[in-house]
């Protein structure tokens, strides 16, 4: 018998050899892996949001406490001095009032126009897809292009609008000057009603046809069905359009695109009716070089947008109906 064939003591007594130390591999749960995958896929947006939104907002907040002019290194920390000046600036209050009036006027008109177009193209018409495309097409035109087109269309000397008036013997009007400039600005908003039309059309097609058929069988007129069924079921869409419309209207730069001289030097020559809050911010930034004061204006606008949004949600809490409770836990 060789040495290799000699049984060990453990073999003779029938016991298994002692096992060595066992190293357990770390176990990652499915939930942890899902969280990692989520943040990995969302990381481009998170990084972009932090660098392109949070960082500029923080920088603007810091500027609002200084007298920085964008060029000179000689700036001073003034604390809340810019904000105190803001609340005592008559031009700020006037531009804010014009902006509020513009929002109150343009937002309902654009929603009504978009909803009306949506109801129209939701009917079984021939070439319905073509009509939808043509009505939505203006919404995809860049704002700069739309501004240039409207500026040429309503030019006092060579515009097509005055050309039509001349056919009826009416003298040319100064559309881009007071008091008509505000109406041209509202027309630029209605020009993009196709965007609201598409969203409203999606909401209309989500309304159950059984409800409309039941109302028709009960003798309800088309207007009664629209008022009692369509509008309540479409209220979440209308709320979304109201909030986004208000935010867009107070931040519009279209008056600058319609200006005779859309440069920092010509911003002060804007028609007073179109000198909105963002035009005031633009003038303080680029015409007067007051970066600190303009940053304070923007932060006040940010707070006002938050307050306006909260008031809209509060005011509509009893008239907006959801198919599913938005506060219910899934």
């Amino acid at each position: 018998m060789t040495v290799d064939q000699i049984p060990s003591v453990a073999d003779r007594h029938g016991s298994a050899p002692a096992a060595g130390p066992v190293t357990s591999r770390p176990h990652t749960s499915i939930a942890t892996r899902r969280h990692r995958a989520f943040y990995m896929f969302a990381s481009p947006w998170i990084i972009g949001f932090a660098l392109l939104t949070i960082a500029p907002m923080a920088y603007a907040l810091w500027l609002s406490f200084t007298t920085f002019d964008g060029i000179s290194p000689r700036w001073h920390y003034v604390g809340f001095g810019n904000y105190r000046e803001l609340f005592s600036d008559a031009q700020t209050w006037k531009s804010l009032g014009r902006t509020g009036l513009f929002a109150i006027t343009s937002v309902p008109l654009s929603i009504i126009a978009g909803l009306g177009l949506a109801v129209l193209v939701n009917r079984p018409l021939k070439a319905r897809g073509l009509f939808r495309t043509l009505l939505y097409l203006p919404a995809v035109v860049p704002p700069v292009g739309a501004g240039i087109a409207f500026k040429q269309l309503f030019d006092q000397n060579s515009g097509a609008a005055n050309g039509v008036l001349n056919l009826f013997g009416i003298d040319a009007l100064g559309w881009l000057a007071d008091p008509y400039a505000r109406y041209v600005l509202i027309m630029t908003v209605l020009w993009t009603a196709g965007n609201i039309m598409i969203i409203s059309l999606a909401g209309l097609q989500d309304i159950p046809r059984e409800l409309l058929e039941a109302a028709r069988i009960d003798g309800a007129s088309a207007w009664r069905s629209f008022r009692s069924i369509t509008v309540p079921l479409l209220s979440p869409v209308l709320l979304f359009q109201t909030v986004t419309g208000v935010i867009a209207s107070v931040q519009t730069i279209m008056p600058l695109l319609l200006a005779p001289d859309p440069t920092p030097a010509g911003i002060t020559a804007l028609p007073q009716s179109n000198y909105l809050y963002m035009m005031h911010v633009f003038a303080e930034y680029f015409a007067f070089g007051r970066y600190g004061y303009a940053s304070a204006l923007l932060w006040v606008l940010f707070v006002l947008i938050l307050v306006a949004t909260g008031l809209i949600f509060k005011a509509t809490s009893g008239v907006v109906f959801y198919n599913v409770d938005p506060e219910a836990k899934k």
Side-chain angles (χ1 to χ4, degrees):
M1 180 181 295
T2 62
V3 177
D4 295 334
Q5 295 174 340
I6 298 176
S8 62
V9 177
D11 294 336
R12 288 196 301 267
H13 291 279
S15 59
V22 179
T23 58
S24 60
R25 300 179 63 182
H27 176 69
T28 304
S29 64
I30 296 178
T32 302
R33 290 198 297 269
R34 288 179 176 176
H35 290 164
R36 289 178 181 176
F38 167 78
Y39 286 111
M40 182 176 64
F41 283 106
S43 59
W45 180 89
I46 295 174
I47 295 173
F49 181 75
L51 295 179
L52 301 178
T53 302
I54 299 299
M57 289 182 65
Y59 181 63
L61 180 62
W62 172 78
L63 284 181
S64 67
F65 298 108
T66 68
T67 59
F68 185 60
D69 61 357
I71 300 176
S72 175
R74 297 180 180 179
W75 56 270
H76 304 284
Y77 178 79
V78 294
F80 290 95
N82 288 325
Y83 292 93
R84 287 193 294 268
E85 179 183 355
L86 183 154
F87 287 107
S88 61
D89 186 2
Q91 190 64 262
T92 298
W93 288 104
K94 290 179 181 178
S95 62
L96 187 61
R98 297 187 197 102
T99 303
L101 181 61
F102 171 69
I104 293 174
T105 305
S106 62
V107 174
L109 287 177
S110 60
I111 292 177
I112 292 173
L115 181 58
L117 293 175
V119 172
L120 179 63
V121 298
N122 193 42
R123 300 176 63 85
L125 303 173
K126 293 183 178 180
R128 183 172 55 179
L130 178 61
F131 285 118
R132 292 176 180 176
T133 303
L134 293 177
L135 292 173
Y136 179 68
L137 194 59
V140 301
V141 176
V144 175
I148 295 174
F150 270 86
K151 186 176 179 180
Q152 294 179 350
L153 180 64
F154 290 97
D155 185 81
Q156 185 174 1
N157 299 319
S158 60
N162 282 332
V164 175
L165 294 179
N166 290 333
L167 295 177
F168 295 94
I170 302 175
D171 295 335
L173 300 178
W175 290 101
L176 302 180
D178 287 326
Y180 304 105
R182 68 184 67 185
Y183 304 120
V184 176
L185 183 60
I186 293 177
M187 290 180 192
T188 62
V189 177
L190 297 178
W191 170 257
T192 59
N195 191 17
I196 298 179
M197 178 200 72
I198 290 296
I199 300 176
S200 300
L201 181 61
L204 289 174
Q205 293 180 347
D206 192 46
I207 296 177
R209 293 185 176 273
E210 294 80 5
L211 297 178
L212 300 176
E213 290 293 334
R216 186 180 61 82
I217 294 174
D218 290 340
S221 62
W223 169 247
R224 181 59 185 272
S225 298
F226 178 80
R227 182 169 57 89
S228 301
I229 298 176
T230 302
V231 172
L233 293 180
L234 206 62
S235 56
V237 176
L238 299 177
L239 174 62
F240 169 78
Q241 293 171 347
T242 301
V243 173
T244 56
V246 169
I247 295 174
S249 63
V250 300
Q251 298 182 88
T252 181
I253 60 170
M254 190 58 71
L256 180 63
L257 301 176
L258 297 174
D261 184 15
T263 62
I267 188 66
T268 55
L270 274 175
Q272 284 298 306
S273 59
N274 280 3
Y275 194 83
L276 304 183
Y277 193 86
M278 283 303 296
M279 298 302 99
H280 187 46
V281 173
F282 184 87
E284 294 294 338
Y285 260 119
F286 303 109
F288 307 131
R290 304 185 64 192
Y291 280 45
Y293 185 66
S295 298
L297 288 172
L298 285 178
W299 266 97
V300 169
L301 179 62
F302 174 71
V303 174
L304 290 176
I305 289 175
L306 291 181
V307 172
T309 303
L311 291 177
I312 291 173
F313 275 102
K314 184 68 176 178
T316 59
S317 59
V319 295
V320 177
F321 305 95
Y322 295 93
N323 291 333
V324 179
D325 186 2
E327 299 181 357
K329 295 183 179 180
K330 295 182 179 181

